[in-house]
Amino acid sequence: MVRGSNAVLGVVNFITFIISIPILGAGIYLSTKANSGECLRFLQWPLIIISICIMVLSLAGLAGSCYGVTCLLRFYLLFMFVAIITIIGFIIFAFTVTDKGGGHAVLNRGYDEYRLQDYSGWLKDRIKDPGYWTKVSDCLRDAKVCKHMKMYLQNQITGEIIPEPADSFYQRKLSPIESGCCKPPTSCGFVYMNETVWNPIGDGDAAIVNIDSDCTEWSNDQRRLCFNCDSCKAGVLSKVKKSWRSASVVTIVVLVIMVIVYVVAFAAFRNNRRTRNNEPSQMGGMTKSRPSRFNF
């Protein structure tokens, strides 16, 4: 028992140290590619910081468990406790700020559309910040998220390859970003020319024409499109909500693992204290028949 928990903790920390190496490599790779788009600038430093923290924590736990360095195990336990509390806070925060918002079905359309006002105040205020949204919209442009929407079909009669007609496009399943950023809202009543070109003159296909700010923001300029529309911001938030919910589920699993590791680390810490004080483990930390204190 004295060495068992130390050995288990050592193996666990060796594995986490190995895992941190490719994470650090990914962060360094993104830093070298930072000039290719604002998205990559968002990712590089979090990955590098996280990987370095995991490395330091793993090394501290590995050294503390293998060499019986009590001060390192004390640091390890403190850091793990703070990390567990932080993760619990993140899980609560993530589920709280993503409890609202989602797509709305549109009559005779296969895709959903998105409204910014449906989302929670914190997320909405964050995405509406001009400085922040400039970076996000630059990211979307650099990623060419709308370029992949273009489709061509074969005419069943002539065999000619033609651009996708309106009826086919209306039945497509678009991603939230494609729906919100690459086309105008259906309520604007614009006429479909192709996936990213719409004539701003309504026709009989639009039962309701609602000229809101998104309708005036739309542009057939392929660098503008609807990247400044509220519907685009809502589409991004829909993706963020899905990602955060998925991350929260994974984080819960990580939290359970961290609690288990913390228990093992605490047992190793107590074993090291007993070894330093020359106490047999079965005595439960008592040094006298009538002890004045307990050693933990």
Side-chain angles (χ1 to χ4, degrees), residues 57 75-85 258 261-262:
L57 184 61
F75 164 78
Y76 183 84
L77 287 171
L78 177 62
F79 195 96
M80 282 285 287
F81 179 78
V82 173
I84 289 172
I85 297 300
M258 289 184 68
V261 173
Y262 185 83

Side-chain angles (χ1 to χ4, degrees), residues 31 81 87 100 102 121 127 142 147 166 199 202 212 221 240-241:
S31 67
F81 179 78
I87 289 176
K100 298 179 181 179
I127 205 72
D142 291 340
K147 183 178 180 180
N199 191 330
D212 58 19
D221 181 346
V240 169
K241 176 181 178 178

